[in-house]
Amino acid sequence: MDLWTSFTEGLICSAPGRAETGEVTVNDAGELFDEEAEDLDEDALKPEELTQRFLTEACALKDARPDVKAAERVDTLVCRWARRLAKDALDDKGRELNAKALLRSRALDVLFVALTRSEAGRLAMRVASSIDPDQSEGVTCSHVRAAVPLRTVLARCSDAPSGLVGQLLSLLAEIAESSATESNAAGKRGAGPFADEMQWVMLLLSALWTDVSEWPVRRSQE
């Protein structure tokens, strides 16, 4: 088993073939559909249910066909996560349930596997890499809707310097694009010629996410 397979298979998740109320999954055509998710009162979910929601959504994107409505699926998912994290600021108790659930789920790791697999995902990473999250309020990117919320989500989940995060995003997008180009030219599917390089960059990104157990310390320093 090569490094790429080891990494992706280690992110154990699968999306069911059909959606239940409020659950995000893919149909046989690889299209993301979201039945009543926006109408569901997510505040009523238990922390473990919210954690599973993030993971299920990331897995749906990873398992979907990369050639079917990829841009729409990436935009929908990343924007939804950004809206959830924004709710934490409105919580009078300061529990930050959404950010903690996202970090516990390790769904960000699954998300980056998914983003490397589609042209839309690679473009989102490339554009997001040049965005300063500290100056992104009110900023929009008309041609890549997911770019700004992606940087916003990453900034909420990591204390790493934004320049470092941006460099890793750019590097991952570049390697993934080179891998896709060579694979397409050779008519191959699968891990691609730069699987090891992608894995290492994703492992570096994964190391940047805040440990939930360190959250009280993080907050005391703000």
Side-chain angles (χ1 to χ4, degrees):
M1 180 180 295
D2 58 32
L3 289 173
W4 175 260
T5 302
S6 176
F7 181 76
T8 55
E9 291 302 322
L11 300 172
I12 301 174
C13 61
S14 60
R18 297 187 60 82
E20 297 177 1
T21 300
E23 186 173 348
V24 179
T25 185
V26 291
N27 61 18
D28 292 338
E31 296 179 272
L32 187 74
F33 57 91
D34 183 2
E35 295 184 351
E36 303 180 22
E38 294 300 326
D39 297 328
L40 188 67
D41 184 7
E42 293 181 340
D43 296 334
L45 293 177
K46 298 178 181 178
E48 59 271 21
E49 293 173 330
L50 188 55
T51 297
Q52 185 59 45
R53 172 69 58 79
F54 277 112
L55 183 58
T56 298
E57 290 170 339
C59 290
L61 184 63
K62 181 179 76 71
D63 293 341
R65 284 174 47 184
D67 58 342
V68 178
K69 296 185 178 180
E72 178 183 339
R73 289 186 279 105
V74 170
D75 291 348
T76 297
L77 180 60
V78 176
C79 290
R80 182 183 303 134
W81 285 9
R83 287 196 299 271
R84 280 193 197 139
L85 296 188
K87 291 180 182 179
D88 288 344
L90 305 177
D91 184 359
D92 295 336
K93 298 181 180 179
R95 295 170 296 176
E96 300 186 279
L97 298 178
N98 290 284
K100 291 177 180 177
L102 176 55
L103 289 166
R104 287 195 190 97
S105 71
R106 306 300 298 183
L108 283 171
D109 297 331
V110 183
L111 172 66
F112 280 107
V113 173
L115 293 179
T116 64
R117 294 181 175 180
S118 71
E119 183 177 354
R122 297 188 292 271
L123 178 60
M125 289 191 291
R126 187 162 58 250
V127 175
S129 70
S130 62
I131 295 173
D132 184 349
D134 295 327
Q135 300 180 7
S136 62
E137 185 174 355
V139 175
T140 58
C141 185
S142 59
H143 64 293
V144 186
R145 181 166 163 252
V148 173
L150 178 59
R151 282 312 298 265
T152 301
V153 167
L154 299 184
R156 287 284 291 114
C157 294
S158 175
D159 290 325
S162 61
L164 174 60
V165 177
Q167 287 178 345
L168 289 175
L169 279 177
S170 179
L171 182 58
L172 181 58
E174 180 181 350
I175 295 173
E177 190 63 42
S178 296
S179 179
T181 299
E182 291 203 15
S183 294
N184 291 338
K188 297 180 180 179
R189 293 184 178 182
F194 298 103
D196 291 354
E197 289 85 348
M198 280 194 284
Q199 185 209 23
W200 281 110
V201 177
M202 284 191 283
L203 289 174
L204 289 172
L205 278 168
S206 182
L208 300 182
W209 314 143
T210 301
D211 188 324
V212 177
S213 65
E214 298 174 356
W215 204 268
V217 176
R218 182 190 193 199
R219 281 290 164 258
S220 68
Q221 295 175 343
E222 293 184 350

